[in-house]
Amino acid sequence: MKGLSIFSWFSYPLPLQERLELIKNAGFDATALWWGDEFEDKNRQPEMTRRLGLEIDYVHAPADNPNALWLDNIDGDSYLNQLLSCIEDCRRHDIPTAVIHVTRLSSRPPVTQLGIDRIKRLVDLAEQKQVNLALENLDSISHLDYIYKELQSDRLGFCYDSGHENYNHPQADCLSRYGDKLFAVHLDDNWGDDDTHLLPYDGSIDWDTLKEKLKKCRDIPYLTLEVDFNREHHKSLIYKDLSPAAFLSSAYQRLLQLQ
């Protein structure tokens, strides 16, 4: 049976230590960490997490300008270096998987050989450091198809985002398409009209069907929620009276239904 996990950022503006304690107290086995420098020193996060008895499913690499990966400019080089550094950090902190974006959710440039060459550098380092590289589905199905066709590696796999699929490419059937490459999941719901990151069963996703598809995919250690909903969005008002602990308790119960 898979462990239960939730992304460390779950929409309540609290210090990381407090969020991790609440996650642990809610019964979760693991969490996932944002690997950026916006809020706290990222290199302190793994120790903080493990000290509480939580495992780390993956880190999510920064995703400031993923479209630049395909473009011949300094931004593309900068983004590549961010991702290379993230893989190095995963090895240093014994974190199994790095989730990365290769396009934005709203737009994408065409596939280029330069982009493939950059991703090849990432894959080569991932193999060297024995870190899994999980590409997330954004507005990027054609890019993912091309990457997986051009590059084969046991360290190159897939991170499934249920909300992105429901909102952006509902006919793609990503779990059937890439299920043999699955390394991680971002489970969240929406109504197909916005990337609202609601709890499972609070939107239009058919979770019974999704659950059956997951069973046919490559086995992964954790089911991880990514429910960083927009607190100002009108469809998130269903959570407005919930305390952080109450929200996490509800999140845990929803995830139990997907085991």
Side-chain angles (χ1 to χ4, degrees):
M1 184 174 291
K2 294 178 176 61
L4 303 184
S5 173
I6 188 169
F7 196 52
S8 60
W9 172 248
F10 54 90
S11 301
Y12 288 78
L14 302 168
L16 178 61
Q17 179 70 31
E18 187 173 347
R19 280 186 270 134
L20 293 172
E21 290 172 356
L22 285 164
I23 288 169
K24 178 63 176 178
N25 291 340
F28 289 94
D29 305 298
T31 190
L33 302 172
W34 174 255
W35 208 247
D37 297 312
E38 294 89 337
F39 304 110
E40 302 186 47
D41 177 9
K42 62 189 178 189
N43 287 291
R44 293 180 55 241
Q45 294 184 76
E47 182 184 357
M48 293 170 65
T49 301
R50 290 169 174 144
R51 193 186 309 128
L52 291 168
L54 288 168
E55 297 297 325
I56 301 171
D57 186 17
Y58 60 81
V59 299
H60 196 308
D64 298 334
N65 193 12
N67 281 352
L69 197 65
W70 304 94
L71 305 176
D72 187 6
N73 59 32
I74 193 170
D75 291 337
D77 293 335
S78 176
Y79 186 56
L80 172 64
N81 288 332
Q82 276 188 311
L83 299 180
L84 291 169
S85 176
C86 185
I87 294 169
E88 294 274 7
D89 289 341
C90 283
R91 177 61 176 175
R92 182 180 306 114
H93 294 290
D94 196 24
I95 296 168
T97 300
V99 172
I100 73 167
H101 292 183
V102 295
T103 62
R104 291 191 182 281
L105 184 61
S106 57
S107 64
R108 61 179 185 264
V111 169
T112 62
Q113 186 58 49
L114 175 61
I116 294 297
D117 291 344
R118 284 171 170 156
I119 295 168
K120 176 67 162 55
R121 285 188 59 189
L122 296 173
V123 173
D124 288 346
L125 183 63
E127 290 178 341
Q128 178 187 339
K129 300 298 181 181
Q130 298 183 303
V131 172
N132 298 325
L133 193 63
L135 312 185
E136 183 178 346
N137 57 301
L138 285 97
D139 184 14
S140 54
I141 300 305
S142 60
H143 286 64
L144 294 181
D145 283 346
Y146 196 89
I147 292 166
Y148 294 136
K149 176 175 173 288
E150 291 296 308
L151 303 174
Q152 288 83 45
S153 169
D154 290 341
R155 293 294 178 180
L156 177 64
F158 179 54
C159 173
Y160 173 66
D161 190 303
S162 58
H164 290 169
E165 181 176 63
N166 194 53
Y167 165 51
N168 217 43
H169 35 260
Q171 306 307 316
D173 193 7
C174 289
L175 288 178
S176 299
R177 199 181 196 111
Y178 309 128
D180 62 329
K181 305 177 187 300
L182 194 66
F183 283 144
V185 293
H186 291 171
L187 299 179
D188 59 275
D189 211 339
N190 60 54
W191 287 98
D193 57 355
D194 204 350
D195 187 31
T196 41
H197 288 263
L198 306 176
L199 290 175
Y201 303 99
D202 284 342
S204 62
I205 291 176
D206 181 346
W207 288 97
D208 291 337
T209 298
L210 194 153
K211 179 179 177 179
E212 291 306 308
K213 287 183 178 180
L214 277 170
K215 290 178 180 178
K216 298 175 183 177
C217 294
R218 181 185 180 278
D219 194 35
I220 55 175
Y222 299 105
L223 296 175
T224 296
L225 293 171
E226 191 191 42
V227 284
D228 54 330
F229 62 91
N230 178 354
R231 300 182 64 78
E232 305 304 318
H233 197 286
H234 67 281
K235 290 186 177 176
S236 300
L237 295 179
I238 54 176
Y239 310 129
K240 69 181 179 66
D241 295 326
L242 293 181
S243 68
F247 177 77
L248 286 173
S249 177
S250 181
Y252 183 82
Q253 293 302 318
R254 306 295 177 87
L255 204 50
L256 277 176
Q257 297 178 59
L258 297 176
Q259 273 191 320

